[in-house]
Amino acid sequence: MEDFGLFKGTKLSFDDEWEGVEAISETALEARLNKDGLRYKMNRTDKEAEEVGPMYNLPGFTVSLPLIGETYLGPPKVANIWEALGFTATSNNDARQAEKLKAIEAARTSKKGVKGSIWPAPKSGEAGAEIRSEWLEKYGYPRLVGSGGIFYADQLSTDKEPMGGFNMGKSGSIWPVPENVKKGQYGGSKGWGMKKQGLAIDNIPAAK
């Protein structure tokens, strides 16, 4: 919730509880994500917006409005009309793709086992790679990846390299996909291609 300062200085104010927490405001949250190069929703970061400039170089101007303050009035800073309408807008910029790759690696190399699972647990109880090797032998792939659950690296058409989804060496498409995605799903570094290389997610040899 946001009280917009209406209760500032009273016992109903959110100041004490939310002081310094960006999540209280969409504007503050966007600014915080932008510091790491990440987009909020599908909006370009301030830096990315400045790089493309106003759509079609149409004019815009900044005015000072009552209550709102300094406000920009003009075309959005996007590459084209299709991005402005949302058809080609995406949150999946280079920074987000880098974060997904780091999360994939963190799940793959986790040294903690998965606890509190609804699935029947193997006899081993602790080390991540060890318990996942038992899942691999029993089910053909690690049922749960990483520490405490599954990390899903969504495979998007804007990815510069395959992400692998659940990273379980599975493949399949419903709709036509770009070539880089197709390579990841089938014969590339992800999907069935992962098994073709002889090693599973955790560099664990496939069960015989």
Side-chain angles (χ1 to χ4, degrees):
M1 294 178 65
E2 170 66 276
D3 65 358
F4 302 102
L6 297 176
F7 301 108
K8 190 175 183 64
T10 73
K11 64 180 182 180
L12 299 177
S13 172
F14 287 101
D15 289 348
D16 292 340
E17 185 172 357
W18 293 100
E19 185 69 33
V21 179
E22 293 90 350
I24 187 64
S25 162
E26 290 196 21
T27 301
L29 181 57
E30 182 173 20
R32 177 62 188 86
L33 290 172
N34 282 187
K35 287 182 180 179
D36 296 328
L38 296 167
R39 296 180 179 183
Y40 178 67
K41 296 185 178 178
M42 294 186 290
N43 298 323
R44 288 176 178 266
T45 65
D46 289 341
K47 181 180 178 181
E48 292 170 334
E50 291 301 324
E51 288 173 355
V52 298
M55 184 178 64
Y56 304 133
N57 293 318
L58 294 171
F61 53 91
T62 300
V63 297
S64 182
L65 300 175
L67 298 179
I68 299 176
E70 191 174 280
T71 305
Y72 170 76
L73 298 177
K77 294 180 179 180
V78 294
N80 51 53
I81 186 65
W82 303 114
E83 183 179 349
L85 293 173
F87 289 107
T88 59
T90 178
S91 64
N92 198 45
N93 62 356
D94 289 349
R96 184 178 186 274
Q97 292 179 50
E99 289 297 325
K100 288 199 292 183
L101 291 173
K102 286 192 289 186
I104 291 171
E105 183 64 14
R108 189 182 70 81
T109 58
S110 172
K111 299 302 180 184
K112 296 181 179 179
V114 179
K115 297 180 179 179
S117 169
I118 63 172
W119 304 105
K123 57 186 178 182
S124 177
E126 294 299 332
E130 181 181 351
I131 194 171
R132 289 195 295 275
S133 68
E134 293 185 19
W135 283 118
L136 181 65
E137 182 177 354
K138 185 173 183 178
Y139 297 106
Y141 57 86
R143 290 294 291 269
L144 293 176
V145 183
S147 174
I150 293 173
F151 173 73
Y152 178 75
D154 52 344
Q155 177 64 71
L156 302 176
S157 61
T158 50
D159 285 329
K160 293 183 177 179
E161 63 178 276
M163 293 294 170
F166 282 117
N167 217 30
M168 289 182 173
K170 292 188 171 184
S171 301
S173 293
I174 298 176
W175 309 108
V177 294
E179 189 63 25
N180 68 313
V181 177
K182 185 176 180 180
K183 287 181 179 179
Q185 289 177 321
Y186 294 97
S189 59
K190 302 293 183 179
W192 291 329
M194 183 189 296
K195 296 178 180 178
K196 187 178 180 181
Q197 295 172 17
L199 296 173
I201 304 154
D202 302 300
N203 290 329
I204 302 169
K208 297 181 179 180

